[in-house]
Structures are given as C-alpha cells and as structure tokens.
Amino acid sequence: MSDQPGVASDVEDLAQSVADQVESFLLAVREIASSGDPGRAVPLLLLEVSQLLLAGARLGVQIDFVPSEKYEPDAGPDPDLDRLREELAKLLDGFDDYTEVFDPYVDPPDLVPSRVSDDVTAIAGRVAHGLQHFRAGRVDEALWWWQFSYVSSWGAEASGVLRALQSVVSHDRLDTDVDRTAEMERVAIAEALAQQ
C-alpha cells in the first residue's frame, strides 16, 4: 500500500481496486495475445476491456486527483510492448482494422482508422505506467496518472475497441444465425423434395 501520509483510506481502497484491475488486464491481455486462438480472443478481449473501462469510469467520476509533487517522479522504464502488439495483430488478422468516430460532438464527426492491436497495446502501456507509480508507493501519482490518461486517451481508445470487438461478436452470432436459418430452410426443402 502507500507510504504517503495523508492519503485517505477510501482513496487507498480505490487505488488498490484500480491497481488490481490493471494487473488483471495486463496479465489477461498477454495471455490472450499468446494463446493463438482468435475464436476465444475476441470475446475475452471484450470482457477485459469492459472491466478496465469500469475502473476508468470509477476514476472519471472522482474529483481531480492532484499529485503531491510538482513534477512526475521517474516511474522507471516503460514496458516493452512491441511483442504484445505483434501477437495481437497476428491473432486479430482480418478484424484488427476498424473505423472510430473521434469526437461524436464535432459536426461533421471525424472518422479515424484504428487497429484493435494498436489501441489495446497503447492502453496497456498507459495503465502500466500508473501501476509503476502505485507499486512504488506513490498512490496520489498513480491515481492522477490513471485518471488523467483515462480522460485524455485510453478511455476513448478503450471505448472504440469495445465497440469494435462487440461488433465482431455481434456479426459472429447474428450472421451465423442467419446462415443457419437459410441452411435449415434448404434442408427442409430437400427433405420435402425427397418425400415426393
């Protein structure tokens, strides 16, 4: 936990909760990326991104966190996530690219090409940075970083990824049902013809 004096227990509880979710997200994404199973990757990524967004939303409704130091302390080297990005891109081949509405309140809205693999990797890097501060006992810096980066970047990226993954799942389920219905109709017609 924190060595910082003056950090309220409810703030520490929030920080611990977010840190737990971040750790879970990072472990799960690495496991999913290395699995080689695209059929399970999309629904599992959908679940992990959804859970991380819940943690982000909890940060978004809080008052602005203010770090105790004027300048950000060195959190150490950022994790090397190139392999994660490459594994996700390979795993998601065929549905990695998607189009995102950058800001729905701009008229006309800007459409931005994105990649699930790039966005998930960027999100992982941002939340991991906050986790480094948390592990070093700098709770206020971790909360500030997670909140700021949620509002400024990874919240929107995760929302876009969530919509893209949900769309893939929807097409998989719904398009398959249409195909099954058509197949069942063909089988019924074939059986009726065979009985004549």
Side-chain angles (χ1 to χ4, degrees), residues 53 56 123 149-161:
L53 272 169
I123 294 163
S149 61
Y150 167 76
V151 173
S152 67
S153 62
W154 72 261
E157 290 167 334
S159 296
V161 167

CSV table of all heavy atoms in Angstrom, one decimal, residues 53 56 123 149-161:
chain,number,residue,atom,x,y,z
A,53,LEU,N,-12.6,-0.6,-18.5
A,53,LEU,CA,-13.4,0.7,-18.6
A,53,LEU,C,-14.2,1.0,-17.3
A,53,LEU,O,-14.5,2.1,-17.0
A,53,LEU,CB,-14.4,0.5,-19.8
A,53,LEU,CG,-13.8,1.0,-21.1
A,53,LEU,CD1,-14.7,0.6,-22.3
A,53,LEU,CD2,-13.5,2.5,-21.1
A,56,GLY,N,-11.9,2.7,-15.1
A,56,GLY,CA,-11.7,4.0,-15.6
A,56,GLY,C,-12.9,4.9,-15.3
A,56,GLY,O,-12.7,6.1,-14.9
A,123,ILE,N,-3.2,1.2,-24.6
A,123,ILE,CA,-4.0,1.2,-23.3
A,123,ILE,C,-3.1,0.5,-22.2
A,123,ILE,O,-2.9,1.0,-21.1
A,123,ILE,CB,-5.3,0.6,-23.4
A,123,ILE,CG1,-6.2,1.4,-24.3
A,123,ILE,CG2,-6.0,0.3,-22.1
A,123,ILE,CD1,-7.5,0.6,-24.8
A,149,SER,N,-4.9,10.0,-17.8
A,149,SER,CA,-4.8,9.2,-19.1
A,149,SER,C,-6.1,8.6,-19.5
A,149,SER,O,-6.4,8.4,-20.7
A,149,SER,CB,-3.7,8.2,-19.0
A,149,SER,OG,-3.9,7.2,-18.0
A,150,TYR,N,-7.0,8.3,-18.5
A,150,TYR,CA,-8.3,7.8,-18.9
A,150,TYR,C,-9.1,8.8,-19.6
A,150,TYR,O,-9.7,8.6,-20.7
A,150,TYR,CB,-9.1,7.3,-17.6
A,150,TYR,CG,-10.5,7.1,-17.9
A,150,TYR,CD1,-11.0,5.9,-18.5
A,150,TYR,CD2,-11.5,8.0,-17.5
A,150,TYR,CE1,-12.3,5.7,-18.8
A,150,TYR,CE2,-12.8,7.8,-17.7
A,150,TYR,CZ,-13.3,6.7,-18.4
A,150,TYR,OH,-14.6,6.5,-18.6
A,151,VAL,N,-9.1,10.0,-19.0
A,151,VAL,CA,-9.9,11.1,-19.6
A,151,VAL,C,-9.3,11.6,-20.9
A,151,VAL,O,-10.0,11.9,-21.9
A,151,VAL,CB,-10.0,12.3,-18.6
A,151,VAL,CG1,-10.6,13.5,-19.2
A,151,VAL,CG2,-10.8,11.9,-17.4
A,152,SER,N,-8.0,11.6,-21.0
A,152,SER,CA,-7.3,12.2,-22.2
A,152,SER,C,-7.0,11.2,-23.3
A,152,SER,O,-6.9,11.6,-24.5
A,152,SER,CB,-6.0,12.8,-21.8
A,152,SER,OG,-5.0,11.9,-21.4
A,153,SER,N,-7.0,9.9,-23.0
A,153,SER,CA,-6.6,9.0,-24.1
A,153,SER,C,-7.2,7.6,-24.0
A,153,SER,O,-8.0,7.2,-24.8
A,153,SER,CB,-5.1,8.9,-24.2
A,153,SER,OG,-4.5,8.3,-23.0
A,154,TRP,N,-6.8,6.8,-23.0
A,154,TRP,CA,-7.2,5.4,-23.0
A,154,TRP,C,-8.7,5.2,-22.8
A,154,TRP,O,-9.2,4.1,-23.3
A,154,TRP,CB,-6.3,4.6,-22.1
A,154,TRP,CG,-6.5,4.6,-20.6
A,154,TRP,CD1,-5.8,5.4,-19.7
A,154,TRP,CD2,-7.5,3.9,-19.8
A,154,TRP,NE1,-6.2,5.1,-18.5
A,154,TRP,CE2,-7.2,4.3,-18.5
A,154,TRP,CE3,-8.5,3.0,-20.1
A,154,TRP,CZ2,-8.0,3.8,-17.4
A,154,TRP,CZ3,-9.3,2.5,-19.1
A,154,TRP,CH2,-9.0,2.9,-17.7
A,155,GLY,N,-9.4,6.1,-22.2
A,155,GLY,CA,-10.9,5.9,-22.1
A,155,GLY,C,-11.5,5.8,-23.5
A,155,GLY,O,-12.4,5.0,-23.8
A,156,ALA,N,-11.2,6.8,-24.3
A,156,ALA,CA,-11.7,6.9,-25.7
A,156,ALA,C,-11.2,5.7,-26.5
A,156,ALA,O,-12.0,5.1,-27.3
A,156,ALA,CB,-11.4,8.2,-26.3
A,157,GLU,N,-10.0,5.3,-26.4
A,157,GLU,CA,-9.4,4.2,-27.1
A,157,GLU,C,-10.1,2.9,-26.7
A,157,GLU,O,-10.5,2.1,-27.6
A,157,GLU,CB,-7.9,4.1,-26.9
A,157,GLU,CG,-7.1,5.2,-27.5
A,157,GLU,CD,-5.7,5.2,-27.1
A,157,GLU,OE1,-5.4,4.7,-25.9
A,157,GLU,OE2,-4.8,5.7,-27.8
A,158,ALA,N,-10.3,2.7,-25.4
A,158,ALA,CA,-11.0,1.5,-24.9
A,158,ALA,C,-12.4,1.5,-25.4
A,158,ALA,O,-12.9,0.4,-25.7
A,158,ALA,CB,-10.9,1.4,-23.4
A,159,SER,N,-13.1,2.6,-25.4
A,159,SER,CA,-14.5,2.6,-25.9
A,159,SER,C,-14.6,2.2,-27.3
A,159,SER,O,-15.5,1.5,-27.7
A,159,SER,CB,-15.1,4.0,-25.7
A,159,SER,OG,-15.1,4.4,-24.3
A,160,GLY,N,-13.6,2.7,-28.1
A,160,GLY,CA,-13.6,2.4,-29.5
A,160,GLY,C,-13.3,0.9,-29.7
A,160,GLY,O,-14.0,0.2,-30.5
A,161,VAL,N,-12.4,0.4,-29.0
A,161,VAL,CA,-12.0,-1.1,-29.1
A,161,VAL,C,-13.2,-1.9,-28.6
A,161,VAL,O,-13.6,-2.9,-29.3
A,161,VAL,CB,-10.8,-1.4,-28.2
A,161,VAL,CG1,-10.6,-2.9,-28.0
A,161,VAL,CG2,-9.5,-0.8,-28.8
